[in-house]
């Protein structure tokens, strides 16, 4: 593990922070309140090259790794978590196309994804396929050179802006799971919106339930091997975005708390001078740093080609739960005003609460950590 960032990584982090402070923070409260899509911000990410952050340079991207993704995601999430979510899901689709698609698919799709002229969304989860994707009920039936897809997907983040949805459908017998699911790039306009949920947080980028009925997709838009999509997906690395988003929220909450407690006076002194407050802030800082280090370790393992399953699961559990605790502490230390929308801490807490569920509930990731410890040792 390299505990010191390179000059290039520090410069990237500084650039992402500058972008967030200039373009995201001034709009974040309004976007959240109005549940408005951050279209101009996302377009700016395309212009900045972040929409192709991890896309290979050969396809117009920046060719960065998972450490760089974690750094940029933290900065964007500190501004508005929903922006970081939108970018992460887009890059996750690009990763699958780049790793498992054909040369023709890469050349056709990735350059436009890198510039954000083609936006990707993920169609994976379903009502009966949440944490257990073996329950996928959407089907794809082959008819000559085409596949006919029927079913639904939910939690399709980015759908409102998406051009393509990476859609996972059952193509083999149920008893063959997980080797019975195939992935396809389906035009977003082939879906119909079924439900747009009102959610506790992440309000500005919606994740609706969408359906598809008798949709024909050419075999040219099958991504990866038939029946192998779930297995192939298990080696994806962009999931590091989830703990990185958590780090961004926790850090933003900590920074806001330091500013507030440094200026707020009660009982003749600054509340930041009272030991109870100071110790609580110190604990918040410890958790932010630990979450960041675990996240960067997992990202670094992935960049080195090492098996990062244990490290990624540990980072996901710790960082997301730290984000909930730190943002909750921040609200408490802000007092009554923290419970209002006048301050951002209530939004940080609402957004953080999603992350213990997103990317698979933490209970499943705890099982992954335990499995690795028993198999590989502590």
């Amino acid at each position: 593990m390299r505990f010191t960032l390179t000059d290039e990584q520090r410069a990237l982090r500084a650039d992402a922070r500058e972008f967030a402070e200039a373009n995201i923070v001034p709009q974040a409260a309004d976007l959240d309140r109005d549940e408005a899509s951050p279209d101009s911000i996302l377009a700016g990410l395309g212009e900045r090259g972040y929409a192709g952050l991890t896309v290979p340079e050969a396809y117009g991207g920046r060719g960065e790794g998972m450490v760089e993704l974690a750094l940029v995601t933290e900065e964007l999430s500190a501004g508005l978590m929903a922006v970081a979510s939108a970018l992460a899901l887009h890059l996750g689709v690009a990763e699958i196309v780049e790793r498992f698609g054909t040369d023709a698919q890469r050349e056709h799709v990735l350059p436009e994804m890198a510039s954000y002229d083609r936006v990707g969304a993920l169609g994976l989860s379903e009502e009966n396929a949440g944490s257990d994707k073996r329950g996928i009920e959407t089907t794809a039936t082959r008819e000559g050179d085409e596949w006919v897809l029927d079913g639904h997907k939910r939690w399709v983040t980015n759908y409102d802006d998406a051009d393509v949805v990476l859609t996972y459908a059952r193509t083999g017998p149920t008893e063959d799971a997980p080797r019975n699911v195939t992935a396809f790039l389906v035009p977003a306009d082939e879906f119909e919106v079924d439900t747009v949920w009102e959610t506790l947080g992440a309000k500005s980028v919606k994740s609706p339930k969408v359906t598809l009925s008798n949709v024909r997709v050419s075999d040219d838009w099958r991504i990866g091997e038939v029946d192998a999509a779930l297995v192939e997906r298990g080696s994806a690395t962009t999931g590091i975005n989830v703990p990185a988003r958590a780090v961004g929220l926790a850090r933003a909450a900590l920074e806001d708390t330091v500013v507030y407690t440094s200026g707020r006076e009660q009982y003749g002194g600054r509340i930041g001078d009272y030991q109870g407050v100071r110790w609580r802030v110190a604990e918040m800082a410890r958790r932010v740093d630990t979450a960041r280090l675990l996240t960067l370790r997992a990202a670094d393992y992935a960049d080195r080609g090492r098996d990062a399953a244990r490290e990624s699961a540990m980072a996901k559990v710790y960082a997301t739960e730290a984000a909930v605790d730190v943002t909750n502490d921040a609200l408490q230390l802000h007092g009554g005003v923290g419970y209002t929308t006048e301050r951002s801490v209530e939004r940080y807490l609402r957004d953080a609460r999603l992350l213990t569920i997103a990317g698979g509930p933490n209970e499943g990731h705890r099982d992954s950590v335990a499995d690795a410890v028993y198999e590989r040792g502590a």
Side-chain angles (χ1 to χ4, degrees):
M1 168 66 187
R2 295 177 291 247
F3 285 91
T4 302
L5 300 178
T6 66
D7 290 343
E8 292 78 12
Q9 289 167 338
R10 286 194 293 270
L12 177 65
R13 181 178 61 184
D15 185 71
R17 182 170 297 196
E18 185 276 329
F19 178 89
E21 291 177 348
N23 297 282
I24 302 177
V25 173
Q27 303 182 58
D30 291 342
L31 289 169
D32 180 74
R33 182 192 63 242
D34 299 338
E35 301 188 23
S37 179
D39 293 333
S40 64
I41 295 171
L42 296 173
L45 294 177
E47 295 168 2
R48 205 92 166 198
Y50 292 154
L53 182 69
T54 56
V55 174
E57 293 181 71
Y59 301 107
R62 297 179 60 150
E64 304 287 6
M66 293 304 105
V67 168
E68 288 78 11
L69 176 61
L71 295 173
V72 170
T73 300
E74 176 183 335
E75 299 303 328
L76 299 180
S77 188
L80 182 62
M81 196 273 287
V83 170
S85 299
L87 177 65
L89 269 295
H90 171 80
L91 289 172
V93 172
E95 179 189 14
I96 297 299
V97 174
E98 188 269 320
R99 292 187 60 186
F100 303 110
T102 65
D103 288 341
Q105 289 168 342
R106 296 186 194 102
E107 291 169 4
H108 186 81
V109 172
L110 292 179
E112 288 188 344
M113 291 194 74
S115 63
Y116 214 64
D117 291 315
R118 187 191 299 263
V119 179
L122 175 63
L124 180 60
S125 294
E126 299 177 4
E127 287 187 3
N128 295 317
S131 55
D132 183 5
K133 299 302 187 293
R134 295 173 302 176
I136 285 177
E137 296 171 346
T138 294
T139 59
T141 304
R142 188 158 193 168
E143 294 186 1
D145 292 333
E146 292 184 320
W147 296 81
V148 181
L149 277 67
D150 291 278
H152 79 277
K153 293 295 171 182
R154 64 177 183 173
W155 315 128
V156 186
T157 302
N158 273 1
Y159 178 78
D160 288 347
D161 294 319
D163 298 292
V164 292
V165 179
L166 180 64
T167 305
Y168 288 73
R170 182 161 48 83
T171 49
T174 301
E175 58 269 23
D176 289 348
R179 294 185 177 275
N180 66 337
V181 172
T182 305
F184 304 87
L185 270 188
V186 181
D189 58 13
E190 293 285 2
F191 292 79
E192 292 186 5
V193 176
D194 179 283
T195 306
V196 180
W197 283 281
E198 291 293 326
T199 54
L200 178 67
K203 290 178 173 290
S204 59
V205 175
K206 298 299 183 181
S207 301
K209 175 185 176 182
V210 296
T211 62
L212 64 172
S213 177
N214 199 37
V215 172
R216 291 183 172 271
V217 178
S218 168
D219 189 58
D220 292 340
W221 291 110
R222 169 175 50 83
I223 306 297
E225 298 297 323
V226 174
D227 293 339
L230 287 183
V231 177
E232 291 171 344
R233 186 168 186 81
S235 63
T237 56
T238 47
I240 198 66
N241 80 83
V242 178
R245 279 188 267 163
V247 174
L249 286 170
R251 193 203 79 212
L254 172 62
E255 291 174 344
D256 285 7
T257 300
V258 170
V259 171
Y260 181 76
T261 57
S262 295
R264 174 69 167 166
E265 292 191 4
Q266 290 286 280
Y267 301 105
R270 298 186 312 165
I271 64 173
D273 290 334
Y274 293 116
Q275 186 179 73
V277 172
R278 293 173 65 83
W279 282 14
R280 198 165 196 173
V281 168
E283 178 63 13
M284 292 165 68
R286 181 189 68 80
R287 298 206 68 182
V288 171
D289 274 19
T290 303
R292 182 183 293 114
L293 289 170
L294 285 171
T295 300
L296 290 177
R297 180 182 69 168
D300 183 67
Y301 270 38
D303 285 341
R304 292 171 183 264
R306 297 180 60 176
D307 179 3
R310 173 184 183 273
E311 289 70 25
S312 295
M314 191 175 291
K316 201 278 185 182
V317 171
Y318 186 89
T320 58
E321 293 179 2
V324 173
D325 292 343
V326 169
T327 55
N328 190 54
D329 284 344
L331 192 152
Q332 184 71 22
L333 291 175
H334 276 73
V337 73
Y339 195 65
T340 73
T341 56
E342 182 177 319
R343 303 288 173 146
S344 297
V345 289
E346 61 85 28
R347 169 167 52 85
Y348 301 152
L349 176 56
R350 287 188 287 107
D351 286 352
R353 192 62 189 83
L354 168 66
L355 297 179
T356 62
I357 304 168
N362 282 4
E363 290 76 10
H365 290 282
R366 280 188 164 84
D367 281 340
S368 296
V369 173
D371 289 345
V373 169
Y374 277 103
E375 291 170 9
R376 293 162 42 190

